Amino acid sequence: MSTDPRTPARRRARVTVAALALPAVLSAALAGAPALADTAPPADTASPADTASPAAGETAAGETAAEETASPAQVIADALAESPVYVDSSYEGAYSAEARERVVTVLEQHDLDLYVIVVPLVEGDEWSGEGEALASAVHDRMGGGERHFLVYDRRGDLEGHDLGSAPDDWSQPAFYGALAASYKTMDGQKTLPTLVEAAVEAALSDDPEAAYETAQQAYYDRTGQPPSGALMPARWWNPWVIGALVLALLAGIGVPLYRRLGRSRPGGLLRRRPAAPIAQHAAFDNADRAQLESLVERGERDLIELGERLSEDAGVAPQNLSRALDARDAAARVHDRMAREGATLADAVGVLVLLDLAEDALAGLRTPRRPCYANPLHGNDTRQTQWREFGGLRTIRVPLCPECARAVRDRLRPTVLPAEHEGRSVPYYEVPAEHSVWAATGYGTLTDDLVERVLSGGHRAAR
């Protein structure tokens, strides 16, 4: 928990609220309609300004074209450079100019780079309806650095996203500010202005996490019980929590005892079930071994088949043929290593990824297909997705298959490819880079030199 106070300082110049400046541009961009072009004069009608100053007319036309082509994220970023609050025109009725101006005044008096974004988020928009994707896109266009965003989400709550912070900085003012606001307004007093003001107040406090805990405890004190789906209370000795723990303990002791008594005599309440013929871990080990053998055999067959095609195909451009031969050679080296030292799942998958790179080169693709970063066995039908680490602030943008992308958006861990490291099974990308060329490159999704690394011996790193 952070306890360092933040010293107020006036860093922002007095500005007007961004929502009053550019709401129409964002609405037009989101709808995909050139709204600014609709207001332009007809091409065959010359305005007085056009007649008097052709250069000025050309400048205006250029500015209009630039505004029309600006992405929604760029429009928001440009507006936030002028004011820390951005509200789309569709929310003007729910969020008055006076209420917005109060928040702007408060933000001007602090040195925290905190911004408020209120736009309609819907499934299928540029950010897939995700507040985190919106915040990340705006953050990138504002030049990165440490910035904090409060984003109005589709549920009518605020999300807090703290981007660009140092890895050891766990203060997360926007994150805790949004949580505090949810508890402060959970008793039916929630409106857009009160929600934003409560979040800003908590985020700018000396200790945002403590502000969240205070708001959470106050809610419990008012209602007498936690809300459905709420986080664990900060003060875990709350009597409701103690009661729940006691019930869980009794259930943990009583249910097994009840089953044991029922099975201990004829006609008991529960019938005895026959023991499993083999231990479960053995069954899973057998399945894993069968999968590994299948992948190794598949790689061997594909190596032979691709080699025959490469030796016969004379219609391939020399540069493409060279790239395909290098990728196949890299796959063959990994396969030969497995034959000598024993197969691993990570290497077997690496062979298949390298063969896909060879196929892409043979087909003349200038940009090879990218496998799913979480698990290359999920295929190459991927799209770049923002993935935020669990319990942290860092994010990466990697290609993910639709299923893994959905899991990441729902803040769930996708089904990742496992690898053995120091006697433990871990996600392959958690193996230190010096021990795995696959982790170091994300199977070619993080860097473009996977083939070169393997050919130079990178695949022989310690397992």
Side-chain angles (χ1 to χ4, degrees), residues 146-160:
E146 181 177 346
R147 300 178 191 275
H148 310 269
F149 299 89
L150 293 169
V151 181
Y152 195 59
D153 64 19
R154 290 182 291 173
R155 300 168 299 173
D157 290 315
L158 284 176
E159 299 177 7

PDB file of all heavy atoms in Angstrom, residues 146-160:
ATOM      1  N   GLU A 146       4.038   7.839 -18.137  1.00  0.00           N
ATOM      2  CA  GLU A 146       3.114   7.478 -17.063  1.00  0.00           C
ATOM      3  C   GLU A 146       1.862   8.335 -17.146  1.00  0.00           C
ATOM      4  O   GLU A 146       1.907   9.546 -16.953  1.00  0.00           O
ATOM      5  CB  GLU A 146       3.780   7.661 -15.694  1.00  0.00           C
ATOM      6  CG  GLU A 146       2.863   7.266 -14.533  1.00  0.00           C
ATOM      7  CD  GLU A 146       3.542   7.373 -13.195  1.00  0.00           C
ATOM      8  OE1 GLU A 146       4.786   7.491 -13.161  1.00  0.00           O
ATOM      9  OE2 GLU A 146       2.832   7.351 -12.169  1.00  0.00           O
ATOM     10  N   ARG A 147       0.744   7.695 -17.443  1.00  0.00           N
ATOM     11  CA  ARG A 147      -0.545   8.375 -17.534  1.00  0.00           C
ATOM     12  C   ARG A 147      -1.608   7.473 -16.937  1.00  0.00           C
ATOM     13  O   ARG A 147      -1.490   6.252 -16.951  1.00  0.00           O
ATOM     14  CB  ARG A 147      -0.897   8.728 -18.980  1.00  0.00           C
ATOM     15  CG  ARG A 147       0.127   9.651 -19.652  1.00  0.00           C
ATOM     16  CD  ARG A 147      -0.242   9.928 -21.097  1.00  0.00           C
ATOM     17  NE  ARG A 147       0.837  10.580 -21.814  1.00  0.00           N
ATOM     18  CZ  ARG A 147       1.057  11.887 -21.826  1.00  0.00           C
ATOM     19  NH1 ARG A 147       0.242  12.688 -21.172  1.00  0.00           N
ATOM     20  NH2 ARG A 147       2.067  12.399 -22.501  1.00  0.00           N
ATOM     21  N   HIS A 148      -2.676   8.106 -16.447  1.00  0.00           N
ATOM     22  CA  HIS A 148      -3.724   7.373 -15.742  1.00  0.00           C
ATOM     23  C   HIS A 148      -5.082   7.768 -16.336  1.00  0.00           C
ATOM     24  O   HIS A 148      -5.355   8.957 -16.517  1.00  0.00           O
ATOM     25  CB  HIS A 148      -3.665   7.679 -14.246  1.00  0.00           C
ATOM     26  CG  HIS A 148      -2.284   7.526 -13.675  1.00  0.00           C
ATOM     27  ND1 HIS A 148      -1.821   6.346 -13.141  1.00  0.00           N
ATOM     28  CD2 HIS A 148      -1.245   8.421 -13.586  1.00  0.00           C
ATOM     29  CE1 HIS A 148      -0.580   6.510 -12.733  1.00  0.00           C
ATOM     30  NE2 HIS A 148      -0.205   7.752 -12.991  1.00  0.00           N
ATOM     31  N   PHE A 149      -5.911   6.770 -16.605  1.00  0.00           N
ATOM     32  CA  PHE A 149      -7.168   7.008 -17.319  1.00  0.00           C
ATOM     33  C   PHE A 149      -8.349   6.432 -16.542  1.00  0.00           C
ATOM     34  O   PHE A 149      -8.298   5.291 -16.055  1.00  0.00           O
ATOM     35  CB  PHE A 149      -7.120   6.367 -18.708  1.00  0.00           C
ATOM     36  CG  PHE A 149      -6.048   6.911 -19.598  1.00  0.00           C
ATOM     37  CD1 PHE A 149      -4.775   6.365 -19.596  1.00  0.00           C
ATOM     38  CD2 PHE A 149      -6.310   7.985 -20.440  1.00  0.00           C
ATOM     39  CE1 PHE A 149      -3.770   6.859 -20.422  1.00  0.00           C
ATOM     40  CE2 PHE A 149      -5.314   8.493 -21.269  1.00  0.00           C
ATOM     41  CZ  PHE A 149      -4.044   7.932 -21.248  1.00  0.00           C
ATOM     42  N   LEU A 150      -9.406   7.225 -16.452  1.00  0.00           N
ATOM     43  CA  LEU A 150     -10.700   6.769 -15.964  1.00  0.00           C
ATOM     44  C   LEU A 150     -11.626   6.702 -17.178  1.00  0.00           C
ATOM     45  O   LEU A 150     -11.920   7.722 -17.797  1.00  0.00           O
ATOM     46  CB  LEU A 150     -11.255   7.734 -14.915  1.00  0.00           C
ATOM     47  CG  LEU A 150     -10.487   7.793 -13.592  1.00  0.00           C
ATOM     48  CD1 LEU A 150     -10.965   8.979 -12.755  1.00  0.00           C
ATOM     49  CD2 LEU A 150     -10.657   6.492 -12.810  1.00  0.00           C
ATOM     50  N   VAL A 151     -12.054   5.495 -17.530  1.00  0.00           N
ATOM     51  CA  VAL A 151     -12.831   5.272 -18.747  1.00  0.00           C
ATOM     52  C   VAL A 151     -14.223   4.779 -18.369  1.00  0.00           C
ATOM     53  O   VAL A 151     -14.360   3.820 -17.597  1.00  0.00           O
ATOM     54  CB  VAL A 151     -12.140   4.253 -19.669  1.00  0.00           C
ATOM     55  CG1 VAL A 151     -12.947   4.050 -20.944  1.00  0.00           C
ATOM     56  CG2 VAL A 151     -10.715   4.711 -20.010  1.00  0.00           C
ATOM     57  N   TYR A 152     -15.237   5.415 -18.905  1.00  0.00           N
ATOM     58  CA  TYR A 152     -16.629   5.013 -18.674  1.00  0.00           C
ATOM     59  C   TYR A 152     -16.905   3.761 -19.493  1.00  0.00           C
ATOM     60  O   TYR A 152     -16.717   3.742 -20.713  1.00  0.00           O
ATOM     61  CB  TYR A 152     -17.564   6.147 -19.087  1.00  0.00           C
ATOM     62  CG  TYR A 152     -18.975   6.023 -18.573  1.00  0.00           C
ATOM     63  CD1 TYR A 152     -19.251   5.963 -17.220  1.00  0.00           C
ATOM     64  CD2 TYR A 152     -20.050   5.984 -19.461  1.00  0.00           C
ATOM     65  CE1 TYR A 152     -20.548   5.863 -16.748  1.00  0.00           C
ATOM     66  CE2 TYR A 152     -21.358   5.894 -19.005  1.00  0.00           C
ATOM     67  CZ  TYR A 152     -21.599   5.826 -17.642  1.00  0.00           C
ATOM     68  OH  TYR A 152     -22.882   5.735 -17.173  1.00  0.00           O
ATOM     69  N   ASP A 153     -17.341   2.676 -18.823  1.00  0.00           N
ATOM     70  CA  ASP A 153     -17.498   1.417 -19.533  1.00  0.00           C
ATOM     71  C   ASP A 153     -18.945   1.156 -19.917  1.00  0.00           C
ATOM     72  O   ASP A 153     -19.846   1.965 -19.641  1.00  0.00           O
ATOM     73  CB  ASP A 153     -16.934   0.247 -18.708  1.00  0.00           C
ATOM     74  CG  ASP A 153     -17.692   0.017 -17.404  1.00  0.00           C
ATOM     75  OD1 ASP A 153     -18.840   0.490 -17.277  1.00  0.00           O
ATOM     76  OD2 ASP A 153     -17.134  -0.629 -16.499  1.00  0.00           O
ATOM     77  N   ARG A 154     -19.167   0.010 -20.537  1.00  0.00           N
ATOM     78  CA  ARG A 154     -20.492  -0.319 -21.068  1.00  0.00           C
ATOM     79  C   ARG A 154     -21.503  -0.639 -19.978  1.00  0.00           C
ATOM     80  O   ARG A 154     -22.703  -0.636 -20.223  1.00  0.00           O
ATOM     81  CB  ARG A 154     -20.386  -1.524 -22.018  1.00  0.00           C
ATOM     82  CG  ARG A 154     -19.671  -1.228 -23.313  1.00  0.00           C
ATOM     83  CD  ARG A 154     -19.654  -2.434 -24.222  1.00  0.00           C
ATOM     84  NE  ARG A 154     -18.799  -3.496 -23.710  1.00  0.00           N
ATOM     85  CZ  ARG A 154     -18.717  -4.700 -24.259  1.00  0.00           C
ATOM     86  NH1 ARG A 154     -19.443  -5.003 -25.300  1.00  0.00           N
ATOM     87  NH2 ARG A 154     -17.900  -5.608 -23.755  1.00  0.00           N
ATOM     88  N   ARG A 155     -21.038  -0.912 -18.763  1.00  0.00           N
ATOM     89  CA  ARG A 155     -21.944  -1.258 -17.657  1.00  0.00           C
ATOM     90  C   ARG A 155     -22.412  -0.043 -16.885  1.00  0.00           C
ATOM     91  O   ARG A 155     -23.191  -0.166 -15.957  1.00  0.00           O
ATOM     92  CB  ARG A 155     -21.235  -2.223 -16.705  1.00  0.00           C
ATOM     93  CG  ARG A 155     -20.795  -3.530 -17.334  1.00  0.00           C
ATOM     94  CD  ARG A 155     -19.862  -4.264 -16.400  1.00  0.00           C
ATOM     95  NE  ARG A 155     -18.671  -3.465 -16.129  1.00  0.00           N
ATOM     96  CZ  ARG A 155     -17.740  -3.793 -15.250  1.00  0.00           C
ATOM     97  NH1 ARG A 155     -17.875  -4.890 -14.541  1.00  0.00           N
ATOM     98  NH2 ARG A 155     -16.685  -3.021 -15.060  1.00  0.00           N
ATOM     99  N   GLY A 156     -21.888   1.118 -17.259  1.00  0.00           N
ATOM    100  CA  GLY A 156     -22.253   2.323 -16.522  1.00  0.00           C
ATOM    101  C   GLY A 156     -21.364   2.584 -15.332  1.00  0.00           C
ATOM    102  O   GLY A 156     -21.743   3.345 -14.435  1.00  0.00           O
ATOM    103  N   ASP A 157     -20.187   1.966 -15.292  1.00  0.00           N
ATOM    104  CA  ASP A 157     -19.211   2.185 -14.234  1.00  0.00           C
ATOM    105  C   ASP A 157     -17.937   2.773 -14.845  1.00  0.00           C
ATOM    106  O   ASP A 157     -17.832   2.930 -16.060  1.00  0.00           O
ATOM    107  CB  ASP A 157     -18.883   0.879 -13.501  1.00  0.00           C
ATOM    108  CG  ASP A 157     -20.050   0.396 -12.656  1.00  0.00           C
ATOM    109  OD1 ASP A 157     -20.650   1.231 -11.955  1.00  0.00           O
ATOM    110  OD2 ASP A 157     -20.347  -0.818 -12.692  1.00  0.00           O
ATOM    111  N   LEU A 158     -16.975   3.056 -13.984  1.00  0.00           N
ATOM    112  CA  LEU A 158     -15.683   3.543 -14.451  1.00  0.00           C
ATOM    113  C   LEU A 158     -14.640   2.448 -14.328  1.00  0.00           C
ATOM    114  O   LEU A 158     -14.642   1.668 -13.370  1.00  0.00           O
ATOM    115  CB  LEU A 158     -15.228   4.764 -13.637  1.00  0.00           C
ATOM    116  CG  LEU A 158     -15.914   6.099 -13.938  1.00  0.00           C
ATOM    117  CD1 LEU A 158     -15.423   7.164 -12.975  1.00  0.00           C
ATOM    118  CD2 LEU A 158     -15.673   6.545 -15.379  1.00  0.00           C
ATOM    119  N   GLU A 159     -13.748   2.382 -15.311  1.00  0.00           N
ATOM    120  CA  GLU A 159     -12.579   1.520 -15.245  1.00  0.00           C
ATOM    121  C   GLU A 159     -11.358   2.402 -15.028  1.00  0.00           C
ATOM    122  O   GLU A 159     -11.249   3.474 -15.623  1.00  0.00           O
ATOM    123  CB  GLU A 159     -12.391   0.734 -16.545  1.00  0.00           C
ATOM    124  CG  GLU A 159     -13.521  -0.185 -16.896  1.00  0.00           C
ATOM    125  CD  GLU A 159     -13.291  -0.876 -18.235  1.00  0.00           C
ATOM    126  OE1 GLU A 159     -12.177  -0.712 -18.795  1.00  0.00           O
ATOM    127  OE2 GLU A 159     -14.200  -1.543 -18.730  1.00  0.00           O
ATOM    128  N   GLY A 160     -10.436   1.956 -14.202  1.00  0.00           N
ATOM    129  CA  GLY A 160      -9.202   2.702 -13.984  1.00  0.00           C
ATOM    130  C   GLY A 160      -8.029   1.982 -14.607  1.00  0.00           C
ATOM    131  O   GLY A 160      -7.802   0.795 -14.338  1.00  0.00           O
TER     132      GLY A 160
END
